[in-house]
Amino acid sequence: MYIIQLLNDLIKSIIKDKYGVENCEITITKPPEDINFDYAINVAFGLSKILKKNPVLIANELADELKKENKIKEINIEKGYINILLDNEFLKYEIFKIINDKTYFKTNTGQNKKVNIEFVSANPVGPLNVVNGRAAAFGDTLANLLKYSGFDVHKEYYVNDFGRQVKLFGKSIEERYYELHKLKEKAEIPEDGYKGEYLINIAKQIDLDRENTLEEVKNALELKQLHDIEDFFKTYGINYVLNWQKTTLENFGVQFDEWFSEKSLYENNEVENVLNILKEKNLIIEEDGALWFDTTIFGDDKKRVVKKADGEFTYFAGDIAYMNNKFKRGFDIIINILGPDHHGYIKRLEAIVKALGYNENCVKIIILQQVNLLQKGEKLKMSKREGRLVLLDELIDTVGKDAARYYFVMRNPNSHLDFDIELAREQSDKNPVYYIQYAYARICNIFNFATEKHIFVEDYDFQEIDFSKLEKEERRIITFLLDLPAYIDEAAKKFSPSFFVQKIYELVTIFHFFYNKYRVISNDDKITTLKRLLIMKALRISLYNCFKIIGITPKENM
RNA sequence: GUGCCUGUAGCUCAGCUGGAUAGAGCAAUGGAUUUCUAAUCCAUUGGUCGGGGGUUCGAAUCCCUCCAGGCACGCCA
């Protein structure tokens, strides 16, 4: 249990015993900088409303009770706020725990609940672009935050390997293949097909992978096995692109637990089955030869086609089966991270959940707003089919994985993100990610220096280390570390990686300030040296954990 | 037309479940290194929180309205 929780419970029990009040909101924050206390408790205002009593009076009464707690050294009341200072021995004990307890930053808020988090899920028809990068960085960080706060997290990528898009994609490769081998003078790419140059590479790669392909294709053409040919190119293309995407994501530090195939939903009759369930509930309407799911009953503004008049299922039909499948696998929380063009989709997904009789509160849909790509200040229009887009691969190459991940995760999902490619390249050494990495490197260097001087804080029993004097900056670092689990919990609860990143930045700022003001290792003051080394050790471990959560490299040298 | 998102310092943004004097970075100006990495630190300049109304002890935050920008709107994915 972390300190904020502890204080919270303590105050709760005091106001219950003293005033009989149970549901009063307690806010515990950091006081403004000029106030030399560790925490500020804002509860007297709320209580004064309930008790019709002067807030300062209440604060004083609460302070008298709080003084009995041995973790608290000092209390001061100002404008109704209760400011408290923690006991130094208690702080030392916590630092000791951070260093020795590997689970210090993990909480059990999630109670091991099963979470399915689906993100990126780009169509397997082309490489990932920077927009997918935003989803990847956001989703992965959120997943890590949830893991730390005690959820059992399953990261999933939905592969749209079924339907019209992949069909067109396969056809486009097929045409490129004919062109390559002069079976046709020029590739006849379908109107809505894929014109990107990478398709030519895919066509070339086929021959490198499989020696007899050309012959097989020619034979099949003679035998008019057109369906088989189509299927071959489609399957090959999807696999090629999936491997590409996987490699890109791995370079970006993102790994999925499962790549879920849309096609499998059809092969296992899950789509048919789930539509039958809806039919039984009279939610399916037949109109103009097509089948519609009447989502308007559940708050959508229009009904949606699930099976077209030509007999083909829509993408939405697969989504219904997919959602059903997720619930059947026993997930308690289902998170779906979508792009900005999908905001109209929220109502539809909610309709699915309600129609199938599941608890709608289990589903959380997060819309990531648009990424505008700017080049020299001008907006780039992106289109996959035209093949004009900035690849995530390129971005990783030019600015690096760490900077890219940090950049994506530092803004909140609602903000439209302007991504200036030139600027991102130029700014590589101005990117704030270096600021936080530099802090880690500096700490590592302190320990290198200590080693040179043959000072090893590990050699000392922690009883021997003296915490009776703590500078303001030292206290700020220590209390910040104690609050990290709370921040992780809060970020997970808010689904807000950006909140967490800001906290890391804050912590690092405090460190840099401290570093400039004080020396950790001094020749003539062993007591202070040991105390500071101990704090630095805890800080290093803490930062290491933070970096792991947001997926950036803790560099020991810069 | 309807729905969703956004509007905060010159620029990019944080803060939005109401609470102490609205914060960072970049840019601009001035300063800090005999001693653990200056990719750092300190100071200064910069704000009618899009406009207007309302709710209350208190509003950037909640409600209403208007303005501006972006995105999406039934046989598409």
Side-chain angles (χ1 to χ4, degrees), chain A residues 530-548:
Chain A
L530 287 174
K531 174 188 70 177
R532 290 191 178 148
L533 274 176
L534 198 72
I535 297 171
M536 287 302 116
K537 198 171 175 191
L539 178 58
R540 184 168 73 176
I541 291 167
S542 306
L543 284 179
Y544 185 89
N545 277 277
C546 291
F547 287 13
K548 216 166 136 192

Side-chain angles (χ1 to χ4, degrees), chain A residues 56-284:
Chain A
V56 179
L57 211 70
I58 294 170
N60 275 307
E61 286 175 0
L62 290 175
D64 286 339
E65 294 297 320
L66 283 168
K67 272 175 194 157
K68 294 174 189 162
E69 174 62 46
N70 58 11
K71 291 185 181 74
I72 297 171
K73 188 181 172 191
E74 216 182 310
I75 295 183
N76 135 292
I77 311 282
E78 212 171 310
K79 298 178 192 165
Y81 285 86
I82 304 168
N83 296 314
I84 68 163
L85 195 72
L86 294 172
D87 180 64
N88 289 13
E89 276 305 301
F90 170 70
L91 293 179
K92 185 169 91 173
Y93 179 67
E94 290 293 315
I95 286 294
F96 182 72
K97 275 208 292 195
I98 289 175
I99 293 169
N100 292 289
D101 180 0
K102 285 194 172 142
T103 63
Y104 189 88
F105 298 107
K106 299 196 174 158
T107 66
N108 63 354
T109 310
Q111 296 169 325
N112 227 25
K113 280 186 189 155
K114 286 183 75 182
V115 178
N116 181 294
I117 175 166
E118 184 211 324
F119 55 106
V120 185
S121 299
N123 282 342
V125 295
L128 298 175
N129 58 36
V130 291
V131 183
N132 301 130
R134 183 179 195 182
F138 180 90
D140 195 50
T141 303
L142 180 55
N144 288 338
L145 285 166
L146 289 165
K147 276 184 197 167
Y148 268 74
S149 50
F151 290 91
D152 177 10
V153 182
H154 188 77
K155 292 186 275 184
E156 195 155 305
Y157 191 117
Y158 185 51
V159 181
N160 302 121
D161 51 0
F162 187 87
R164 188 160 169 268
Q165 290 307 310
V166 283
K167 212 170 174 176
L168 282 167
F169 178 60
K171 193 75 198 154
S172 305
I173 298 173
E174 188 182 333
E175 289 293 329
R176 287 299 188 192
Y177 192 79
Y178 294 155
E179 183 182 55
L180 186 68
H181 290 291
K182 311 266 190 265
L183 299 177
K184 275 187 186 174
E185 198 168 309
K186 198 171 182 340
E188 293 163 28
I189 309 280
E191 198 178 329
D192 294 330
Y194 294 82
K195 295 172 183 125
E197 260 185 53
Y198 62 92
L199 276 84
I200 301 171
N201 294 333
I202 297 175
K204 284 180 186 162
Q205 188 64 36
I206 296 174
D207 291 329
L208 298 174
D209 281 354
R210 313 173 75 260
E211 279 181 18
N212 303 322
T213 308
L214 183 58
E215 227 163 281
E216 284 170 29
V217 169
K218 279 180 181 166
N219 284 339
L221 278 172
E222 267 174 41
L223 295 168
K224 302 244 182 255
Q225 292 168 331
L226 298 180
H227 188 77
D228 288 352
I229 296 176
E230 227 173 68
D231 223 51
F232 166 75
F233 283 105
K234 187 172 82 181
T235 310
Y236 186 91
I238 292 172
N239 284 331
Y240 181 97
V241 169
L242 279 180
N243 281 326
W244 189 356
Q245 292 181 346
K246 275 182 200 176
T247 308
T248 306
L249 287 166
E250 257 167 49
N251 292 335
F252 203 47
V254 179
Q255 278 183 336
F256 284 88
D257 299 307
E258 186 163 352
W259 294 67
F260 191 97
S261 157
E262 180 186 12
K263 201 168 144 193
S264 74
L265 292 169
Y266 288 91
E267 287 168 351
N268 302 330
N269 290 323
E270 290 187 53
V271 177
E272 289 282 0
N273 291 344
V274 84
L275 289 182
N276 283 334
I277 294 171
L278 293 179
K279 264 178 211 165
E280 275 166 30
K281 297 189 178 200
N282 289 322
L283 295 167
I284 301 287

Side-chain angles (χ1 to χ4, degrees), chain A residues 392-453:
Chain A
L392 182 54
D393 286 333
E394 277 177 350
L395 184 71
I396 297 170
D397 278 351
T398 48
V399 308
K401 176 199 87 163
D402 292 335
R405 279 192 74 135
Y406 192 87
Y407 193 86
F408 281 132
V409 108
M410 105 201 192
R411 293 197 164 80
N412 94 42
N414 283 338
S415 68
H416 303 223
L417 181 56
D418 279 343
F419 200 111
D420 194 312
I421 302 152
E422 310 294 319
L423 218 66
R425 281 178 188 151
E426 282 171 25
Q427 264 190 348
S428 61
D429 57 329
K430 282 181 197 161
N431 193 304
V433 74
Y434 295 98
Y435 182 78
I436 65 169
Q437 285 182 316
Y438 186 51
Y440 189 82
R442 270 181 150 177
I443 296 164
C444 291
N445 207 56
I446 292 171
F447 283 97
N448 291 340
F449 190 77
T451 305
E452 274 173 37
K453 298 256 172 194

Side-chain angles (χ1 to χ4, degrees), chain A residues 485-498:
Chain A
Y487 294 142
I488 292 170
D489 259 13
E490 194 175 343
K493 194 176 150 201
K494 288 177 167 171
F495 299 102
S496 176
S498 67

